[in-house]
Amino acid sequence: MNSEPKTGGVKAVRQQLDEKMNIGDFYHAQQLYKTLVVRYTAKKRYIAMQELLIEGAVAMLNKDQIPAGTELASLLIKHLTEQKVKCTAQVAEPLLSIFRAYPEALDPSKKSFVVAVCEWADSTECSGPATPDLHNAFAKDFFINKDFPRSESHYLRGSNTAGLVTLLEEWVKAAPKSEYDLFVARTVLRLLCLKKDQEASSLLDSLVSKFELDTPLINFLFFTIKAIQTGAGPVYQLLRQKYSTATARDPSFDKYLKHIGKDYFGIAPPQGLLGSLMNSFFGSAK
């Protein structure tokens, strides 16, 4: 007897919501969306609530109501985070539909949405099989819109090494050829820090062949990957000494190399006076 009025209430609110959307009264439509979210949450109808938020976010964005659409999308991500929902294809695809509904590729709200999605999808509790798929999609979109740093960040966490190669091929065009190896090294080292040595090796082979690179820095990368794959910690330490001039060309490399030494070989970062001097030097060079 108590359930009937509640069901009728939801239906009535839904009807009002549709009417408001049809006449373009987006403010009141937004309030009705949030009213339904509260009611679904109270009844623990989480699937219905998720579907409502997805529908609402896409509908608002398609009507160029960016703040409203972003607010509904944020409520969805908050729910996924609080409920520790895993990032599966079934969950990721609707999020990508919201992402594609944004009218401007570089809109700040779209960037904020991507950050929020990644915080959820990359978290220890929620990371799942579709997490790389989200990063692949975000990377491709940022690449198309020439936002190469953001594109690289997502390709690194995705699973599309070929896309990352294409990105670097385009990105280096703005640099002199003498710096091509720096672009390659930066990306290879970041991949290694993410424990993606196979991807790093594949990318290095592709770009060295493409650009006909033969520099001390490139040699260092090849030897480092081999040392990682064979577990040769002492060799890695010798490589760092022998190629210190080459790796010092970009001060940011030092933090990656320390990370690699610690993660792959258990080498503690240098301590004492030498370590302090090194940190001071590289810090001032940034």
Side-chain angles (χ1 to χ4, degrees), residues 2-18 32-33 35-43 45 48-49 52:
N2 290 332
S3 62
E4 195 61 35
K6 291 182 181 178
T7 303
V10 168
K11 289 182 179 178
V13 174
R14 179 73 232 199
Q15 184 176 356
Q16 292 177 48
L17 169 57
D18 292 339
L32 292 168
Y33 269 121
T35 296
L36 286 174
V37 167
V38 171
R39 295 192 182 188
Y40 283 146
T41 302
K43 298 170 71 173
R45 295 181 58 188
M49 186 262 282
L52 176 76

Side-chain angles (χ1 to χ4, degrees), residues 131-133 135-136 153-161 196 199:
T131 295
D133 298 333
H135 285 300
N136 291 341
S153 175
H154 289 290
Y155 272 130
L156 287 170
R157 290 177 285 171
S159 57
N160 186 357
T161 305
K196 295 186 173 184
E199 292 87 340

Side-chain angles (χ1 to χ4, degrees), residues 177-182 184-185 204 208 211-223 243 246 249:
K177 189 163 185 180
S178 61
E179 295 182 3
Y180 280 17
D181 61 341
L182 292 174
V184 175
L204 182 59
V208 166
F211 298 132
E212 300 180 348
L213 298 175
D214 183 14
T215 68
L217 184 57
I218 293 298
N219 291 335
F220 170 76
L221 296 174
F222 275 117
F223 292 138
Y243 289 96
R249 288 170 58 203

Side-chain angles (χ1 to χ4, degrees), residues 105-106 111 135 138-157 163-175 183 186-187 190:
L106 300 181
K111 293 179 182 178
H135 285 300
F138 296 153
K140 182 178 180 180
D141 188 83
F142 284 123
F143 171 70
I144 290 171
N145 289 282
K146 306 296 183 183
D147 190 339
F148 295 151
R150 280 191 174 85
S151 179
E152 183 196 34
S153 175
H154 289 290
Y155 272 130
L156 287 170
R157 290 177 285 171
L164 185 54
V165 169
T166 300
L167 164 66
L168 287 170
E169 288 176 351
E170 186 68 22
W171 201 353
V172 299
K173 290 179 181 178
F183 280 82
R186 194 174 301 118
T187 302
R190 287 173 176 169

